[in-house]
């Protein structure tokens, strides 16, 4: 299996909505974004799959050195080997790859986030920075579009957090800020025991409103002349906003219902966005 095939396989078997946003890209851009996505999956899996935090830290240290090796032209891993040609074709700052790793380290330091300021930093590192790298691959001419990419990345991560509250709490993780729980009168033990309540619905509605604000700011930041180039990001945004709307329409019942979109609906959103921009 070649490095590009390894990354493509990562995308195809992830079940992620990202697959639909990559469908219509030209070959070189698709190869680069597949490699970027595969990198994110690799470092994310370090935290998700290692039960020993010290082993996870050691593995993340290895990835730190691997990024350095990649920028020196000597990568060892299939993902960094696939990324290497993209460094010549696109402006992909090395510090962004290290920033993603720093975000993964936050998952080793926190299994509860005390406030939104801390959570926002996490979202920026694991998703906002990915948005900025993606914008470089997709292309832009107006610097305002970088803000679009950053805001959208955070919005996507907040949507994941809202959708995955039950899954995360079952892994002893919580990304809804603790001070928000206190404000809305939600006891964390109610989450652990999957107790639904009106207070929880109000808490989740607040998280949805916050995420929606990031989507709005992203849309306002996208320069008109860059909409065509940034269609893959717009596809992701439209798919995730549809998911967020479904959660809201369903009454914000994130502990008792798992909301998702069918592959057909994702494909329809992707096609419609690609055609209409």
């Amino acid at each position: 299996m070649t490095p590009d095939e390894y990354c493509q396989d990562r995308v195809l078997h992830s079940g992620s909505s990202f697959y639909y946003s990559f469908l219509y890209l030209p070959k070189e851009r698709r190869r680069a974004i597949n490699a970027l996505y595969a990198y994110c999956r690799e470092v994310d899996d370090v935290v998700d799959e290692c039960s020993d935090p010290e082993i996870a830290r050691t593995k993340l240290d290895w990835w730190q050195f691997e990024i350095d090796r990649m920028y020196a032209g000597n990568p060892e891993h299939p993902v960094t080997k696939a990324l290497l040609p993209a460094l010549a074709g696109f402006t992909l700052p090395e510090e962004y790859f290290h920033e993603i790793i720093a975000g993964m380290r936050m998952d080793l330091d926190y299994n509860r986030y005390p406030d939104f300021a801390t959570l926002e930093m996490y979202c920026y590192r694991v998703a906002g920075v990915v948005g900025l790298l993606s914008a470089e691959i997709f292309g832009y001419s107006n610097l305002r579009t970088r803000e679009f990419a950053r805001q959208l990345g955070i919005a996507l991560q907040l949507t994941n957090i809202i959708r995955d509250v039950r899954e995360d709490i079952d892994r002893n993780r919580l990304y809804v800020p603790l001070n928000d729980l206190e404000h809305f009168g939600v006891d964390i033990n109610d989450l652990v025991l999957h107790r639904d309540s009106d207070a929880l619905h109000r808490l989740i509605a607040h998280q949805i409103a916050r995420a929606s604000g990031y989507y709005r700011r992203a849309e306002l930041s996208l320069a008109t002349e860059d909409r065509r180039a940034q269609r893959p990001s717009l596809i992701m945004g439209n798919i995730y906003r549809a998911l967020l709307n479904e959660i809201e329409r369903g009454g914000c019942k994130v502990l008792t219902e798992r909301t998702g979109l069918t592959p057909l609906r994702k494909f329809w959103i992707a096609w419609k966005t690609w055609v209409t921009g």
Side-chain angles (χ1 to χ4, degrees):
M1 181 182 290
T2 68
D4 286 331
E5 288 170 343
Y6 179 93
C7 295
Q8 176 71 14
D9 188 68
R10 268 300 219 163
V11 174
L12 287 174
H13 291 91
S14 68
S16 170
S17 299
F18 281 87
Y19 167 76
Y20 298 89
S21 69
F22 304 164
L23 282 174
Y24 306 104
L25 280 172
K27 182 179 178 180
E28 290 308 308
R29 296 184 192 275
R30 188 169 66 250
R31 286 176 59 189
I33 199 68
N34 281 344
L36 173 61
Y37 176 83
Y39 168 74
C40 294
R41 293 306 320 150
E42 292 287 340
V43 293
D44 187 53
D45 286 351
V46 167
V47 176
D48 287 347
E49 297 177 2
C50 284
S51 57
D52 186 331
E54 291 311 308
I55 293 177
R57 291 182 196 280
T58 299
K59 289 186 173 182
L60 290 177
D61 287 343
W62 184 90
W63 276 105
Q64 291 265 175
F65 291 124
E66 179 64 1
I67 292 302
D68 292 341
R69 284 191 291 267
M70 178 178 72
Y71 276 86
N74 302 299
E76 296 179 2
H77 195 278
V79 166
T80 42
K81 288 180 178 179
L83 273 169
L84 186 60
L87 301 186
F90 307 101
T91 303
L92 305 178
E94 181 176 0
E95 60 267 25
Y96 284 174
F97 288 95
H98 289 302
E99 196 75 48
I100 294 169
I101 294 173
M104 301 306 165
R105 291 188 191 279
M106 289 183 73
D107 265 335
L108 300 176
D109 296 330
Y110 297 91
N111 67 343
R112 308 281 190 268
Y113 282 78
D115 50 45
F116 184 67
T118 310
L119 180 65
E120 186 181 40
M121 174 58 73
Y122 171 77
C123 292
Y124 166 73
R125 286 173 165 170
V126 302
V129 167
V130 178
L132 290 167
L133 287 166
S134 300
E136 298 293 339
I137 294 170
F138 300 148
Y140 62 89
S141 57
N142 191 317
L143 289 177
R144 279 177 46 214
T145 295
R146 289 173 49 79
E147 183 62 13
F148 157 77
R150 187 183 74 85
Q151 295 276 350
L152 181 62
I154 294 173
L156 299 180
Q157 187 64 25
L158 290 174
T159 303
N160 278 335
I161 286 169
I162 293 163
R163 179 196 61 196
D164 294 340
V165 167
R166 176 166 175 158
E167 179 182 325
D168 288 333
I169 202 68
D170 287 347
R171 297 187 300 127
N172 193 29
R173 292 192 172 279
L174 180 63
Y175 294 92
V176 178
L178 292 177
N179 63 349
D180 283 351
L181 266 71
E182 182 179 2
H183 178 78
F184 286 94
V186 175
D187 191 308
I188 195 167
N189 289 322
D190 290 336
L191 301 182
V192 173
L193 297 173
H194 303 161
R195 290 175 180 155
D196 204 17
S197 67
D198 289 340
L200 174 64
H201 300 163
R202 290 191 293 272
L203 170 67
I204 298 303
H206 178 69
Q207 308 308 310
I208 290 173
R210 176 182 281 150
S212 296
Y214 278 89
Y215 284 115
R216 286 193 298 272
R217 287 191 291 276
E219 182 70 21
L220 291 172
S221 299
L222 179 57
T224 302
E225 62 267 32
D226 288 334
R227 288 190 68 87
R228 184 175 181 84
Q230 292 295 317
R231 282 180 299 182
S233 292
L234 289 170
I235 287 171
M236 281 305 304
N238 288 339
I239 288 174
Y240 270 67
R241 286 183 92 166
L243 173 63
L244 200 65
N245 290 338
E246 286 297 319
I247 295 171
E248 188 171 36
R249 276 196 289 267
C252 304
K253 298 177 181 179
V254 294
L255 287 182
T256 57
E257 298 177 8
R258 169 76 177 186
T259 304
L261 305 180
T262 65
L264 181 60
R265 186 171 178 191
K266 290 178 184 178
F267 182 80
W268 168 249
I269 292 171
W271 179 84
K272 185 177 179 181
T273 304
W274 191 265
V275 171
T276 62

